[in-house]
């Protein structure tokens, strides 16, 4: 029924082929830096900058071996530190944000609207305006160089964006489910735990993914609170390698950088579908 | 589970009618328990620090000695502080140049990928990947090497006979490298654009075609108007993000904001004043100026949006 006749098949095929060619060139151009870093990490250190090509003449693991011990502690320490902080943040966000979101979305109490408005407003608040008093606060309790300043906020639902995300999600769940649970005699706690929380899985998955990526990548907060090498997370350790670049060299930096991205790349491979959906619906990065 | 078997419709709000007061009280009490973490967090991590930093903005405070009230001194100091103005300029140039470029790329690629192109999942992932990694220290390190003296870019330029100097040591080009890095992460707004494009009904394009509209007119008369809420959303998000850029600037300049303050991002300056010089009063004042500017810019966006954002319901 189309009034405008479609272009002939051959013409469309040629068009599509041209489009794909253009796109693939663009992809190659965009991904080149990443591939270059991967390849360079396996090149002998002196060939990285003299030979920018992607096919290495010699392959070596020296960059990884040397980089692993470039700071006065093995990199495994930093990976474990990062892992601890990341897992702690995920648990904290899932716990505190889901509790808060359930109360805001489903329970009746006087300050509900005010609390929700505050949550929305604090999404916009730039972190820099809070960080100095927070630093003073935590340092008064002698918590600098511990992970408490990184973890406590997560257990107190301060990542308001996730609260918002979960509230919006809970609102899409039919209220009849809660009511049925109430009629069966379940109180708010049992209803939350057995009815709402299991249904919230997509929102919980999105929160987990983004908490993982943000915390793993986070540089500013650990930079401020962690000054002793033994408590460094991976990004801060990389930063201190940069500071001593003359001794460490590009090869080691690339090797350790690559390792630092690996968890995210693996995560991306597995969680890609949820990740894309999460960003398409919420704008999280 | 029990709840599955018993549809609530059969006994609508039965217990509620019997003991409504208890019901509500119980919810209220439960809410207060559910909200303990949030209330503590709001108080200790947000509200108190917010007022504390407002107070500190009017003091002279070095952490070791108690804060000393200095009135508007910190703000007066800004007026004569060359580094402050340098950081304002760097940040504004960055926001004004990189955000539109990034969104432009995002929209262009979203349009190319939309509608009937095979391999969408592959392209989307490939373009999105930089967004995912872009703010990491590792990528900032990579950028340092790409744009460094003997980096990829100069090697590439050498091939076509241009003798490139170091991009990062030249005050005129250092900021450009950071802008390129931000544009490179256009994947995340692109994914949002793609989701928005999918919402536009095919019938509208069909109708436009029937009316004789070509590709360009379809774009300007159907796609753009219906996409304005998404464009607005991306614009707000990326602008706020760009104002707060820190990691890349810190790594690429080794924390100095150099050469010649050309990468002295505002947040980097706040960090330097607060956590390197331990001039916490001045840093607080700077942070409040940042918050005011972000608030103002966001508000202006909202006001301006009345004239160009088209929502289906009005």
């Amino acid at each position: 029924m189309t009034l405008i006749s479609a272009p002939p098949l051959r013409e469309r095929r040629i068009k599509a082929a041209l489009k794909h060619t253009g796109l693939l060139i663009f992809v190659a151009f965009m991904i080149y830096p990443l591939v270059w870093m991967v390849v360079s990490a396996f090149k002998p250190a002196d060939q990285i900058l003299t030979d920018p090509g992607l096919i290495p003449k010699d392959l070596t693991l020296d960059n990884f071996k040397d980089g692993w011990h470039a700071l006065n502690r093995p990199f495994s320490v930093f990976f474990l530190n990062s892992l601890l902080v990341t897992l702690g943040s995920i648990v904290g966000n899932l716990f505190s944000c889901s509790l808060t979101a359930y109360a805001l979305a489903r329970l009746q109490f006087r300050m509900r609207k005010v609390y929700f408005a505050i949550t929305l407003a604090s999404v916009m608040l730039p972190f820099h305006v809070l960080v100095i008093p927070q630093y003073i606060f935590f340092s008064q309790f002698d918590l600098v160089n511990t992970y408490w300043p990184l973890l406590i906020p997560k257990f107190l639902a301060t990542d308001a964006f996730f609260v918002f995300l979960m509230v919006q999600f809970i609102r899409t769940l039919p209220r009849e489910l809660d009511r049925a649970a109430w009629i069966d005699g379940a109180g708010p706690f049992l209803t939350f735990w057995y009815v709402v929380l299991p249904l919230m899985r997509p929102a919980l998955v999105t929160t987990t993914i983004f908490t993982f990526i943000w915390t793993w990548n986070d540089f500013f907060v650990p930079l401020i609170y962690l000054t002793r090498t033994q408590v460094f997370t991976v990004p801060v350790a990389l930063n201190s390698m940069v500071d001593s670049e003359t001794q460490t060299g590009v090869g080691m930096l690339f090797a350790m950088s690559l390792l630092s991205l690996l968890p995210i790349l693996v995560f991306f491979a597995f969680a890609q579908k949820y990740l894309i959906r999460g960003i398409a619906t919420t704008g999280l990065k | 589970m029990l709840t599955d078997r018993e549809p609530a419709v059969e006994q609508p709000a039965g217990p509620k009618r019997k003991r409504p007061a208890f019901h509500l009280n119980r919810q209220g009490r439960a809410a207060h328990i559910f909200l303990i973490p949030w209330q503590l967090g709001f108080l200790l991590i947000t509200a108190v620090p917010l007022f504390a930093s407002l107070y500190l903005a009017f003091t002279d405070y070095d952490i070791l000695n108690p804060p000393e009230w200095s009135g508007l001194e910190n703000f007066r100091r800004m007026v004569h502080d060359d580094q402050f103005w340098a950081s304002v300029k760097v940040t504004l140039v960055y926001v004004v140049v990189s955000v539109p470029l990034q969104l432009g790329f995002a929209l262009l690629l979203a349009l190319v990928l939309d509608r009937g192109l095979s391999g969408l999942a592959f392209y989307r992932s490939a373009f999105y990947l930089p967004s995912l990694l872009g703010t990491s220290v590792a990528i900032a390190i990579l950028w340092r090497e790409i744009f460094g003296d003997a980096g990829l870019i100069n090697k590439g330029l050498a091939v076509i006979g241009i003798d490139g100097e170091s991009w990062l040591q030249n005050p005129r080009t250092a900021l450009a490298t950071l802008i390129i890095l931000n544009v490179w992460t256009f994947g995340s707004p692109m994914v949002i654009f793609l989701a928005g494009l999918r919402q536009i009904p095919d019938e509208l394009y069909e109708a436009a075609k029937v009316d004789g509209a070509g590709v360009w007119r379809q774009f300007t008369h159907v796609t753009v108007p219906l996409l304005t809420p998404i464009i607005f959303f991306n614009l707000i998000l990326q602008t706020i993000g760009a104002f707060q850029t820190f990691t890349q600037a810190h790594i690429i300049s080794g924390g100095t904001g150099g050469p010649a303050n050309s990468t002295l991002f505002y947040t980097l300056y706040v960090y330097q004043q607060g956590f390197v010089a331990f001039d916490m009063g001045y840093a607080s004042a700077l942070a409040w100026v940042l918050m005011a500017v972000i608030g103002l810019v966001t508000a202006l966006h909202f006001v301006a949006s009345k004239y160009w954002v088209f929502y289906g319901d009005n």
Side-chain angles (χ1 to χ4, degrees), chain A residues 38-60:
Chain A
V38 176
V39 173
S40 299
F42 293 96
K43 280 183 187 172
D46 55 328
Q47 288 178 20
I48 294 174
L49 292 178
T50 51
D51 168 26
L54 290 187
I55 300 153
K57 284 190 211 84
D58 311 288
L59 283 174
T60 172

Side-chain angles (χ1 to χ4, degrees), chain B residues 32-188:
Chain B
H32 282 290
I33 296 172
F34 275 101
L35 289 169
I36 288 172
W38 181 86
Q39 285 172 327
L40 276 175
F42 173 65
L43 200 69
L44 296 177
I45 307 294
T46 309
V48 171
L50 190 65
F51 288 111
S53 85
L54 184 60
Y55 168 71
L56 288 177
F58 296 98
T59 65
D60 190 5
Y61 184 43
D62 62 0
I63 265 208
L64 297 174
N65 303 297
E68 227 175 277
W69 185 261
S70 66
L72 289 172
E73 180 49 37
N74 286 327
F75 297 92
R76 250 181 249 129
R77 183 172 149 194
M78 277 177 216
V79 178
H80 304 288
D81 180 353
D82 291 342
Q83 284 201 298
F84 164 78
W85 288 112
S87 72
V88 168
K89 194 182 138 209
V90 166
T91 309
L92 287 182
V93 168
Y94 179 78
V95 170
V96 169
V97 177
S98 83
V99 173
L101 271 178
Q102 187 204 35
L103 293 185
F105 267 97
L107 182 56
L108 185 71
L109 267 300
L111 287 169
V112 173
L113 293 184
D114 188 43
R115 274 159 222 274
L117 191 75
S118 55
L120 171 68
F122 164 76
Y123 291 122
R124 201 174 46 189
S125 303
F127 292 141
Y128 180 63
L129 194 59
S131 288
L132 194 62
L133 309 175
T135 55
S136 66
V137 169
I139 293 301
I141 288 174
L142 174 64
W143 233 247
R144 254 171 90 104
E145 299 310 326
I146 290 176
F147 287 94
D149 244 338
L152 265 187
I153 299 291
N154 282 342
K155 286 272 153 47
L157 289 177
V159 171
I160 53 171
I162 298 172
D163 193 15
E165 18 172 356
S166 171
W167 289 64
L168 299 179
Q169 267 138 48
N170 184 343
R172 281 197 314 210
T173 51
L175 183 57
T177 66
L178 287 160
I179 290 173
I180 293 169
L181 176 50
N182 194 42
V183 176
W184 187 61
T185 65
F186 69 80
S188 88

Side-chain angles (χ1 to χ4, degrees), chain A residues 126 128, chain B residues 87-96 98-99 182 235-246 265-268 270 289-298 301:
Chain A
H128 299 85
Chain B
S87 72
V88 168
K89 194 182 138 209
V90 166
T91 309
L92 287 182
V93 168
Y94 179 78
V95 170
V96 169
S98 83
V99 173
N182 194 42
L235 181 68
I236 292 275
L237 223 61
Q238 299 302 330
T239 305
I240 293 177
F243 265 113
Q244 299 183 49
T245 302
F246 175 79
F265 275 73
Y266 196 88
T267 53
L268 188 55
V270 175
V289 170
L290 175 67
M291 189 168 87
V293 169
I294 292 179
L296 189 72
V297 170
T298 309
H301 274 323

Side-chain angles (χ1 to χ4, degrees), chain B residues 253-271:
Chain B
S253 71
T256 63
N261 293 335
S262 62
T263 61
L264 185 65
F265 275 73
Y266 196 88
T267 53
L268 188 55
Y269 191 50
V270 175
Y271 166 78

Side-chain angles (χ1 to χ4, degrees), chain A residues 129-155:
Chain A
V129 84
L130 305 176
V131 64
I132 288 166
Q134 280 181 18
Y135 177 83
I136 296 165
F137 176 78
F138 284 119
S139 70
Q140 302 244 308
F141 287 96
D142 217 10
L143 293 176
V144 171
N145 281 315
T146 71
Y147 300 125
W148 295 114
L150 282 64
L151 292 176
I152 289 172
K154 308 285 174 188
F155 278 87

